[in-house]
Amino acid sequence: MSDQSLSDPGVAPAYVRILASPDAPRLPEDLRGLHYPFGRWVPGPGEVFEVAPGVHWIRFPLPLGGLDHINLWALEDDAGWVLIDTGIGVPGAGKAWDALFKGPLAGKPVSRVIVTHYHPDHIGMAGWLCKRWNVPLEIARTEYLLARSLTLDIRAEPPPEAMDFSIRAGWPDDALANLRNRGWGHFNKIVSPLPAGFKRIRDGDVLAIGGRQWTIVTGRGHSPEHSCLLSNDGLMISGDQVLPRITSNVSVYPTEPYADPLGDWLESIETLRGIDPGVLVLPAHNEPFHGLHVRLDQLAADHADKLEKLLALCATPRTAVESFSTLFRKPIADSDYGIATGEAVAHLHWLEERGKIRRLTDASGVDRFVAV
Ligand SMILES: [Zn+2]
């Protein structure tokens, strides 16, 4: 995702993007404590793969830099297929779904469409699918309302709040000019029109599908009310809440510029530690894996490491932009300023909320953070 705002994902919204820290360990996967029961094998276009009886893995391409696929899941129920997530709404996505409906998913209708969260690679084809099969969209309320509001927010220029957010973060003039020139409101370019109403799912709900009981486990921080689905026989459809090799984006956005999403994210990690460590995790990106708790530990440690380095950096006052080289392994290109700013501000706000740094705002409206 080349943009700084959830209000403006741009044309290539990699909401999940690897921006690894400079010295993050790069161990071979088999040394990192995760086990991939299907290895690196993945289903090809038009294929499905049954990871457990009645649980089918679908993989759609994504036209995003650095992230080329998303995993979707089709659960077999008596009434039809229950789809979990839908792919991004780009040309060809409908044809790809139709090929599945004529091929491996033939013989049953789609009976339910469930979406884990509002990001375009997950919700993009939901409206199209719901209309095609005349079924409601099932999603958490906050995620639905956010997606709907984004489809309606189209402007010629970024709103003043977005410019102010980027100025506060210390963006250089040329990056600010690029932001201004890029327009605003690209969400509906990659999300098919959403239904005007929805069916709510929420934390703790139990959905009976295909002889299993699936409990909704809500995560926060990557998106505001992200639904994971946990089965009573050891499967966890984790969406973007737990990914084996990608650190999910946890960002502050101009729509909620004082938010503390990293606090939400780290709390969610603690919540997820309550899940049986033996579950087979079915993530939205990369491959199914065992080792949920190992991965939760890695995610928590990665953020703790970044926070520690950031706190040390703030011995002298720093802007968000001035923290990029500490937080991220690669130099941040202009097109990645948005996502990098969101993540940097999320870490700064975590420290600020807990009284470890404080904010100094200069006459130009630029925020610098200094250790207390
Ligand atoms: Zn996401």
Side-chain angles (χ1 to χ4, degrees), residues 15-16 117 119 121-122 222 240:
Y15 280 101
V16 182
H117 66 296
H119 289 161
D121 44 339
H122 300 257
H222 172 70
D240 284 349

Side-chain angles (χ1 to χ4, degrees), residues 315-339:
T316 55
R318 305 285 184 174
T319 66
V321 167
E322 287 166 352
S323 75
F324 287 174
S325 59
T326 298
L327 291 176
F328 308 119
R329 181 184 296 149
K330 292 179 184 167
I332 300 300
D334 185 70
S335 59
D336 284 333
Y337 256 59
I339 187 171

Side-chain angles (χ1 to χ4, degrees), residues 13 55-56 59 64 187 275 305 338 352 360:
V55 178
H56 297 260
R59 195 161 163 112
L64 307 178
F187 190 82
I275 294 173
D305 180 58
E352 184 189 30
L360 309 168

Side-chain angles (χ1 to χ4, degrees), residues 125-147:
M125 288 299 285
W128 185 89
L129 286 162
C130 290
K131 191 173 177 189
R132 188 187 191 293
W133 294 100
N134 193 28
V135 293
L137 167 61
E138 298 183 51
I139 186 169
R141 180 185 282 164
T142 317
E143 303 286 337
Y144 174 78
L145 294 175
L146 191 46

Side-chain angles (χ1 to χ4, degrees), residues 25-34 36 40 245 298:
R26 280 182 262 186
L27 295 172
E29 285 157 41
D30 58 356
L31 295 182
R32 287 176 55 83
L34 304 184
Y36 298 87
R40 298 300 290 273
R245 293 194 301 282
Q298 291 171 354

Side-chain angles (χ1 to χ4, degrees), residues 250-265:
V250 176
S251 279
V252 176
Y253 299 102
T255 42
E256 196 182 343
Y258 296 96
D260 175 27
L262 187 56
D264 293 339
W265 177 256

Side-chain angles (χ1 to χ4, degrees), residues 143-160:
E143 303 286 337
Y144 174 78
L145 294 175
L146 191 46
R148 277 281 281 166
S149 72
L150 291 176
T151 60
L152 304 173
D153 187 9
I154 302 166
R155 316 168 189 229
E157 284 193 6

